[in-house]
Amino acid sequence: AHEIVSVKYIPGWKDKNMYLQGAIQFTLSPGWKTYWKKPGPFGVRPVVDWSQSENIQNIKLLWPTPKIFYQSDISVIGYEGVLTIPVRIIKIDSLKDALLNIKLEFGVCSDICLLKTAKIIVPLEVNASGKNFDVINEALKKVPLKAIDQVFSISQCSINRNGKNLNLTYSINLSKNPISKPTVIIDYASSEQYIENQTMQINGKTLLLKASLTNIPKQEGLIERNRLTTLIILENKGFE
């Protein structure tokens, strides 16, 4: 039987900042999709457990800019085809060998949705081929950029209370008129809650975004501004 999805680790290089740069690659069969780190209320959030790794202090996944798909009129945030997630790994003792031991739990969807588990257990090496470098560098280019002046001339963010409701308003001036309607995903870090009732208006180069934060204080008590990030997808490029 043909595999719906295969998962592997791609070794890369040692960065001057002392972390090891590699990638985790998912290869999906045609017609199948998998989810972004915050897949929306109807998606399956991927879980990455590296606690069984040896001599590894920290692992950071750099998720590429996702796409919005519609399944039965429900929007889902994710990927199709080949998904390469760059991974930055910091060892505890940089002189000793390290073992990467990752358990991944993730959803894949076509006409049906399935929960999948994959394990990656590999000794960490950095004597990778030039081909690996190309694959990882290509994936790094797809990671959302920090919002830059060439694209956004001005952005303002305000949080207002309206009775019991908390509303977030973003006003963003783009440097040129968007060719297609941008996609905006607002994320509240380390929270299971989704930010609801998003509306977007485009007036020439100005993007006005409104959303409700009401379901976050119910769970969290307070809103911490530094945990709010906004991903704007413009012409298939992501900016945070």
Side-chain angles (χ1 to χ4, degrees):
H2 187 63
E3 265 191 305
I4 293 167
V5 59
S6 62
V7 183
K8 67 177 181 179
Y9 177 73
I10 300 174
W13 60 88
K14 189 172 187 174
D15 189 86
K16 59 181 184 295
N17 297 322
M18 297 311 290
Y19 60 75
L20 299 174
Q21 179 70 65
I24 296 172
Q25 189 172 72
F26 296 73
T27 304
L28 293 145
S29 289
W32 288 86
K33 299 171 183 66
T34 193
Y35 297 104
W36 187 53
K37 60 181 178 179
K38 285 282 183 87
F42 302 101
V44 178
R45 182 193 295 261
V47 177
V48 182
D49 176 5
W50 54 272
S51 60
Q52 300 301 306
S53 298
E54 294 168 19
N55 192 28
I56 290 178
Q57 183 182 330
N58 193 30
I59 290 180
K60 185 178 183 186
L61 276 69
L62 305 171
W63 290 82
T65 300
K67 289 182 177 169
I68 307 288
F69 299 103
Y70 289 90
Q71 284 170 213
S72 318
D73 296 332
I74 294 166
S75 69
V76 172
I77 308 165
Y79 310 92
E80 61 186 350
V82 177
L83 162 64
T84 306
I85 305 175
V87 182
R88 285 184 181 160
I89 300 168
I90 298 172
K91 286 183 175 184
I92 295 168
D93 184 335
S94 61
L95 301 174
K96 290 185 178 168
D97 290 342
L99 181 75
L100 186 63
N101 186 337
I102 293 183
K103 183 183 177 189
L104 297 152
E105 293 176 8
F106 57 98
V108 290
C109 269
S110 178
D111 303 329
I112 55 165
C113 292
L114 304 172
L115 276 173
K116 289 281 185 184
T117 304
K119 281 207 98 166
I120 294 171
I121 303 175
V122 289
L124 274 184
E125 300 167 19
V126 287
N127 55 352
S129 67
K131 186 180 168 208
N132 285 12
F133 281 45
D134 293 346
V135 169
I136 296 169
N137 275 320
E138 205 52 46
L140 283 165
K141 287 179 194 165
K142 294 178 182 171
V143 174
L145 300 164
K146 291 290 168 226
I148 46 172
D149 298 344
Q150 295 95 302
V151 183
F152 307 97
S153 52
I154 239 170
S155 67
Q156 291 173 318
C157 167
S158 60
I159 297 172
N160 310 97
R161 183 175 286 285
N162 179 359
K164 286 186 175 177
N165 295 328
L166 271 182
N167 296 320
L168 173 75
T169 305
Y170 265 117
S171 174
I172 300 162
N173 285 6
L174 303 172
S175 53
K176 59 177 198 245
N177 286 358
I179 298 166
S180 54
K181 186 179 174 183
T183 299
V184 180
I185 302 163
I186 304 173
D187 179 28
Y188 194 62
S190 311
S191 170
E192 297 288 326
Q193 296 306 308
Y194 292 99
I195 290 173
E196 298 178 332
N197 304 333
Q198 291 187 31
T199 59
M200 179 165 51
Q201 292 172 309
I202 302 168
N203 190 348
K205 297 179 192 174
T206 305
L207 200 63
L208 187 67
L209 182 80
K210 293 184 177 177
S212 167
L213 300 179
T214 308
N215 62 343
I216 291 175
K218 283 179 194 164
Q219 302 291 328
E220 306 261 347
L222 280 172
I223 297 271
E224 295 171 48
R225 248 175 200 261
N226 60 350
R227 285 170 64 187
L228 273 172
T229 55
T230 302
L231 174 64
I232 298 172
I233 304 171
L234 263 178
E235 278 97 65
N236 292 327
K237 280 200 168 67
F239 301 93
E240 282 187 332

